[in-house]
Amino acid sequence: MTLAHDTAENDGPALVLLHSAVCDRRMWDPQWPALVDAGYQVVRCDFRGFGQTPLPDHRHNDAEDVLDLLDTLGIEQAAFIASSYGGQVALELAARRPDRVSTMALLCSGLPGHEPTDELRAFGEREDELLEAGDVGGAVELNVDTWLGPDADESVREKVRGMQRQAFDVQLAAPDGAGRNKVDFDLAAIKAPGLAVSGGHDLPDFRHIAAQLPSLLPNTRHLELPWAGHFPSLERPATVTDLLTSFLRETLPAH
């Protein structure tokens, strides 16, 4: 099954947008027009269990799904802009297939094998409690309150609210046998230049991961946005769009 996706045909390099585990491909609505106008062949997709991509009745691997999508679209190599869990998928993909990744911008990225702090673990436990009690609305609000920084206005909160509710609805209806396959890989295999962005109001886990990535990936630099929560691309979209287009001009110009 091919992931639900959007494409913008351009003559420039391929650019893939990967969403977080709270959102779906709609989280990139603010960046989409500018990245297309910059000349990139832009692709965004919904992972299985998010947006318009259902979960199958068997285990799957998100990095392999993205590679399959690139193969379907005839894309041999792409740049990646990825948020949170999407960043973790991008890292796995870049480690397993370094030839397929030209550059990466990772916004508040996850990291394979990261040991969660007590704060992140408590969030996960509370989310599980709410979902097990059938309080999906409460779980949605927990995510909105946890992940959005102080600059997120009500329209952004409502957008995230809708995407998280959609994800819960899809995942709670998952057939038996659904789940993610984990694959071992070595981050040292990653060659692509990268930018690791963190938010000053984000949970410590993701601030630490972003600060740590340059020591794991020699071609990666870290930038903290003091005003940001976990979703800077939604909280100050114009600022982050400018940041991303500048990074792409440096590492993979479209013209």
Side-chain angles (χ1 to χ4, degrees):
M1 180 192 68
T2 301
L3 300 177
H5 64 280
D6 304 312
T7 61
E9 295 297 333
N10 265 323
D11 293 332
L15 172 61
V16 179
L17 312 179
L18 300 181
H19 64 79
S20 79
V22 174
C23 303
D24 56 47
R25 73 186 194 269
R26 291 173 290 176
M27 77 171 291
W28 301 112
D29 286 349
Q31 284 73 45
W32 180 266
L35 295 172
V36 173
D37 289 346
Y40 293 95
Q41 179 186 353
V42 190
V43 179
R44 60 178 178 177
C45 59
D46 290 333
F47 296 132
R48 296 186 196 239
F50 296 88
Q52 295 179 315
T53 307
L55 279 165
D57 60 357
H58 55 81
R59 301 186 70 82
H60 69 279
N61 178 273
D62 292 310
E64 291 170 4
D65 285 343
V66 174
L67 281 171
D68 288 344
L69 175 61
L70 296 184
D71 290 342
T72 298
L73 297 174
I75 295 172
E76 295 184 2
Q77 188 179 66
F80 284 82
I81 294 174
S83 170
S84 190
Y85 173 70
Q88 183 169 319
V89 175
L91 287 167
E92 178 179 341
L93 199 156
R96 293 173 62 185
R97 291 298 306 272
D99 58 309
R100 305 296 296 269
V101 181
S102 55
T103 190
M104 294 187 294
L106 307 173
L107 308 181
C108 306
S109 179
L111 181 68
H114 171 73
E115 184 65 29
T117 63
D118 290 343
E119 187 174 355
L120 182 57
R121 189 177 291 110
F123 161 80
E125 291 171 352
R126 180 57 180 156
E127 183 185 62
D128 289 343
E129 290 171 0
L130 290 166
L131 292 174
E132 289 169 6
D135 187 2
V136 179
V140 169
E141 292 307 311
L142 173 67
N143 277 273
V144 170
D145 292 341
T146 299
W147 300 118
L148 284 170
D151 284 2
D153 62 24
E154 185 52 38
S155 66
V156 170
R157 295 173 67 86
E158 186 60 28
K159 186 179 185 73
V160 173
R161 191 175 285 123
M163 290 187 286
Q164 177 64 93
R165 180 66 195 227
Q166 171 79 3
F168 280 146
D169 288 345
V170 173
Q171 293 159 18
L172 291 170
D176 292 341
R180 293 191 181 107
N181 275 331
K182 294 182 179 180
V183 178
D184 292 332
F185 53 89
D186 184 1
L187 290 175
I190 296 176
K191 306 302 181 189
L195 174 66
V197 176
S198 60
H201 293 276
D202 200 0
L203 267 61
D205 298 72
F206 301 97
R207 298 176 67 187
H208 174 71
I209 287 169
Q212 180 187 11
L213 281 173
S215 66
L216 301 174
L217 311 173
N219 293 324
T220 293
R221 59 186 172 91
H222 170 225
L223 173 66
E224 179 159 289
L225 304 176
W227 50 265
H230 194 59
F231 294 132
S233 63
L234 289 166
E235 294 160 16
R236 287 194 189 177
T239 299
V240 173
T241 299
D242 288 346
L243 172 66
L244 294 172
T245 53
S246 295
F247 172 73
L248 290 170
R249 278 196 301 270
E250 293 172 12
T251 58
L252 190 70
H255 301 292

